[in-house]
Structures are given as structure tokens and as C-alpha cells.
């Protein structure tokens, strides 16, 4: 049995609160990130004992893995995934390196409005009708989940967005496999 010195886990309460809420702790969450990084074995053992699955992604973030999903979370996840997909497509269509732009460009209200207008038929299905709706319903939720941070003039996406990119790539691969079988 692993001996865990709780006195060394000085940010345990804050870390637990964030992770339980679905937040992804990344390098921009400096203090919590460093503590997790320095005491990963203790945190993993403690959270496992409490019934949680602490995941560490080598691209720079921690989160709780979950097999459960609520219908509401499904809607939120779909909206985030659609936004990421459309952003990648938008950057590629404007001649930018999509992966670089995804993490380097500020997503401002003007960009959000453009994305919604160009992809109205898709966003209408999620009841997102304007850039303001996209900001409120998707970007602010991404901030609450640690997927983005608010900056002057808009939002910057953070490393945990890779979870959505991975899922989009998986769907893309499955689509190609299915098409090849037909």
C-alpha cells in the first residue's frame, strides 16, 4: 500500500475541485500543474482510492477520465467538437497552418460571427445563431473546462483541445475505413 503524506499535497482541495468539475489542469495553471507534476504518484494513488481515474496527457495536461456522460455534456462536447472542426477548416481555407493557428491565434467575436455565418446550417442544429451565442455557449464553457483561456480581445485555445482533435481524427479514420470497405 502506498503511503501518501497529505501535508505535501498543499493544493489538494483546489486540484480536486477543478478535476471533479471536468476541468483540465494544464501548464498555464502554474501552481496546480507543478504540484501534480511533482507528486503524480501520490495524486494518482489518492484519486484512484477515491474512485477517480487521473489521466496525464504528455502534451501538457491532467484530467479525470470518465466513462459516464450526461446528455447535457454530450451537447456541450458536440458543440466544442464542431467549433474545433470548423476552426481547423477555416484556418486551412485562409491559407494558415491550422494546428499553429489553432493555438496561436486569438478567437475574437468577429471570427466567431464569421464561423457561425459560414456554417449556419451546422450551428443552427446546436441552437447557436450568432457569434455572441458561440462565445457564451461554447467558448465560456471551454474556459470553465480548461480548454481555453480568456485574453484581451477574445480567447486562446489550450493544450487540452488535443482531446477533441484526437476524437475528430478517430472519427475521420473510421469514416475512411468504412468508405474503403464499401
Amino acid at each position: 500500500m502506498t503511503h501518501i503524506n497529505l501535508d505535501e499535497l498543499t493544493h489538494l482541495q483546489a486540484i480536486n475541485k477543478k478535476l471533479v468539475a471536468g476541468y483540465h489542469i494544464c501548464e498555464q495553471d502554474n501552481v496546480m500543474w507543478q504540484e501534480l507534476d511533482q507528486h503524480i504518484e501520490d495524486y494518482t494513488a489518492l484519486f484512484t482510492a477515491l474512485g477517480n481515474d487521473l489521466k496525464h496527457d504528455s502534451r501538457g495536461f491532467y484530467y479525470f477520465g470518465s466513462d459516464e456522460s450526461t446528455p447535457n455534456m454530450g451537447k456541450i462536447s458536440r458543440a466544442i467538437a464542431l467549433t474545433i472542426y470548423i476552426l481547423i477548416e477555416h484556418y486551412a481555407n485562409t491559407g494558415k497552418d491550422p494546428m499553429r493557428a489553432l493555438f496561436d491565434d486569438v478567437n475574437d467575436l468577429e471570427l466567431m460571427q464569421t464561423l457561425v455565418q459560414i456554417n449556419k446550417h451546422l450551428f443552427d442544429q446546436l441552437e447557436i445563431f450568432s457569434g455572441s451565442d458561440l462565445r457564451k455557449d461554447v467558448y465560456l464553457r471551454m474556459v470553465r473546462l480548461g480548454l481555453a483561456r480568456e485574453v484581451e480581445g477574445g480567447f486562446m485555445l489550450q493544450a487540452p483541445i488535443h482531446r477533441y482533435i484526437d476524437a475528430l481524427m478517430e472519427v475521420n479514420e473510421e469514416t475512411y475505413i468504412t468508405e474503403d470497405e464499401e
Side-chain angles (χ1 to χ4, degrees):
M1 178 164 221
T2 306
H3 174 73
I4 301 170
N5 183 351
L6 294 177
D7 292 333
E8 290 180 5
L9 308 181
T10 57
H11 294 90
L12 174 59
Q13 186 175 2
I15 289 170
N16 184 61
K17 184 177 180 181
K18 288 279 192 184
L19 292 172
V20 166
Y23 189 85
H24 296 70
I25 296 175
C26 63
E27 293 176 4
Q28 285 76 16
D29 303 302
N30 198 357
V31 174
M32 289 186 290
W33 162 263
Q34 286 179 354
E35 183 161 318
L36 275 168
D37 209 43
Q38 291 171 359
H39 301 284
I40 186 62
E41 295 84 14
D42 291 341
Y43 273 104
T44 300
L46 179 61
F47 289 137
T48 298
L50 294 172
N52 293 305
D53 183 18
L54 180 64
K55 302 280 189 182
H56 175 229
D57 190 292
S58 61
R59 293 169 290 196
F61 55 96
Y62 293 92
Y63 63 99
F64 278 162
S66 173
D67 293 332
E68 300 175 20
S69 66
T70 63
N72 190 35
M73 190 59 198
K75 181 181 177 186
I76 294 165
S77 288
R78 284 192 308 274
I80 293 170
L82 175 64
T83 302
I84 300 308
Y85 178 81
I86 287 171
L87 272 171
I88 291 169
E89 187 176 71
H90 172 76
Y91 290 136
N93 289 342
T94 58
K96 294 183 177 182
D97 175 346
M99 292 307 290
R100 175 168 281 147
L102 204 57
F103 294 101
D104 291 349
D105 286 11
V106 173
N107 292 216
D108 61 13
L109 194 54
E110 183 180 337
L111 173 62
M112 292 176 210
Q113 188 63 38
T114 300
L115 295 176
V116 171
Q117 286 175 345
I118 292 172
N119 300 281
K120 182 178 177 1
H121 63 288
L122 296 172
F123 281 114
D124 280 355
Q125 295 174 36
L126 295 169
E127 299 175 7
I128 295 173
F129 306 108
S130 68
S132 295
D133 288 346
L134 186 59
R135 179 187 185 282
K136 177 179 56 100
D137 294 343
V138 177
Y139 280 88
L140 289 176
R141 288 180 193 246
M142 285 196 288
V143 169
R144 285 194 299 271
L145 295 172
L147 305 172
R149 69 184 188 282
E150 202 161 1
V151 296
E152 186 176 332
F155 298 86
M156 297 287 296
L157 300 182
Q158 299 190 124
I161 284 296
H162 282 289
R163 288 189 66 200
Y164 284 89
I165 296 169
D166 293 347
L168 290 169
M169 295 298 286
E170 218 173 277
V171 167
N172 193 35
E173 286 175 20
E174 289 173 10
T175 302
Y176 282 124
I177 290 170
T178 304
E179 287 176 0
D180 289 344
E181 290 173 354
E182 291 177 358

